[in-house]
Amino acid sequence: MQDPNEDTEWNDILRKKGILPPKEVPNDAEEEEELARQQRSIVKTYEDMSLEDLDENEDEFGEEDEAAIEMYRQKRLSEWKATQLKNVFGEMVEISGQDYIKEVNKAGEDIWVVLHLYKQGLPLCTLINQHLSVLARKFPQTKFLKSISTTCIANYPDRNLPTIFVYREGDMKAQFIGPLVFGGMSLKVEELEWRLSESGAVKTELEENPRKEIEDKLMSSIRSSLPSRKDSDSEDEDY
């Protein structure tokens, strides 16, 4: 059934012909109540919005809403800053096996953890500790930890060192075990950064694997040192 109070062209024609009664006009009290209800709804919308949402929908709000929007924007900004400050690490920390659950499994929501198991006196372990210290300062939102292997995991074999475990919210996301994985003492900090970025632990600005250039040069060198097919055929004819 059609609403006689609905604003349609057909209803206007029927009113002019007297078929429909004149449209009911809400009194001032009703208008004020409806306006207040809409304002309450808008305020709730602000409360539910993130900083991104407030910026995206800024044009949809009127001038009278600017004060409320700014208030909620400042509130969201303060919450965001508090979260960032809480999750800033900025240095590599030494832990023992007793610290493992607290520092790794209970690191916090959406926190990436990079744990290096090492042994003193192993040059590659020392190098990786140096690189990770650099990366800890570069990526303060990621938690970088190190632990002497046998204090963290009893009887952990030296042949598996260095070892890097990557965790997020207590779940292991990647593991790098043994010297061959790291490419030996020629390992550069950028290469390690790339490896960690592939696991998701850091957000690098590197556009490609720095190791690729070294590998390409190595392959080019190998190819240039090999005899060509023509040279091989010529040598065969001499015998």
Side-chain angles (χ1 to χ4, degrees):
M1 183 175 179
Q2 189 169 353
D3 183 1
N5 289 315
E6 190 176 2
D7 272 328
T8 64
E9 189 176 350
W10 177 244
N11 279 355
D12 288 340
I13 294 171
L14 295 179
R15 287 190 195 99
K16 287 178 183 177
K17 294 184 177 295
I19 298 173
L20 286 179
K23 183 182 176 183
E24 294 179 6
V25 179
N27 57 40
D28 292 343
E30 289 177 345
E31 286 183 346
E32 289 177 4
E33 185 179 344
E34 176 62 19
L35 183 60
R37 187 189 66 76
Q38 291 177 359
Q39 288 297 328
R40 286 194 298 272
S41 175
I42 289 173
V43 169
K44 188 170 190 326
T45 302
Y46 297 159
E47 291 174 342
D48 292 339
M49 284 188 175
S50 64
L51 275 171
E52 224 173 84
D53 294 333
L54 286 172
D55 290 336
E56 286 179 1
N57 294 281
E58 190 173 8
D59 295 338
E60 297 181 14
F61 302 115
E63 291 182 6
E64 66 276 8
D65 301 319
E66 286 183 1
I69 291 174
E70 186 59 28
M71 180 180 71
Y72 286 111
R73 180 181 281 113
Q74 291 303 321
K75 181 182 177 184
R76 291 285 177 263
L77 189 58
S78 297
E79 291 171 351
W80 179 81
K81 285 181 178 178
T83 302
Q84 295 300 304
L85 287 172
K86 182 181 177 183
N87 293 339
V88 167
F89 303 103
E91 62 179 356
M92 188 160 64
V93 176
E94 181 95 29
I95 67 167
S96 66
Q98 294 176 338
D99 304 319
Y100 182 88
I101 292 177
K102 175 188 172 185
E103 298 293 341
V104 177
N105 290 352
K106 297 182 178 179
E109 184 179 353
D110 203 28
I111 299 297
W112 286 89
V113 178
V114 175
L115 173 63
H116 177 212
L117 299 185
Y118 74 102
K119 187 173 183 179
Q120 293 176 341
L122 294 181
L124 186 53
C125 288
T126 302
L127 178 66
I128 288 177
N129 273 337
Q130 292 170 356
H131 288 345
L132 290 178
S133 293
V134 172
L135 296 176
R137 293 190 293 272
K138 186 174 182 179
F139 302 101
Q141 305 304 319
T142 299
K143 192 174 192 178
F144 286 84
L145 305 171
K146 62 179 179 178
S147 179
I148 294 176
S149 57
T150 50
T151 66
C152 193
I153 303 174
N155 302 316
Y156 194 75
D158 288 353
R159 66 177 179 275
N160 288 349
L161 300 178
T163 291
I164 290 180
F165 294 136
V166 178
Y167 300 87
R168 180 174 177 269
E169 297 182 358
D171 295 327
M172 186 181 290
K173 299 299 182 181
Q175 55 184 0
F176 307 95
I177 299 174
L180 293 178
V181 171
F182 297 100
M185 291 298 292
S186 63
L187 176 71
K188 305 297 183 185
V189 65
E190 293 83 8
E191 295 168 30
L192 189 53
E193 177 181 334
W194 181 264
R195 290 284 189 90
L196 294 178
S197 74
E198 288 185 313
S199 72
V202 299
K203 293 183 178 179
T204 184
E205 293 183 359
L206 296 172
E207 294 182 357
E208 63 176 12
N209 185 356
R211 189 78 184 174
K212 184 176 182 297
E213 183 179 350
I214 298 173
E215 290 172 351
D216 288 347
K217 287 181 178 177
L218 180 62
M219 291 304 297
S220 176
S221 175
I222 291 172
R223 283 195 295 269
S224 65
S225 65
L226 291 173
S228 67
R229 185 186 180 94
K230 185 177 179 181
D231 292 338
S232 298
D233 293 341
S234 177
E235 288 177 6
D236 290 340
E237 289 174 3
D238 293 338
Y239 288 100

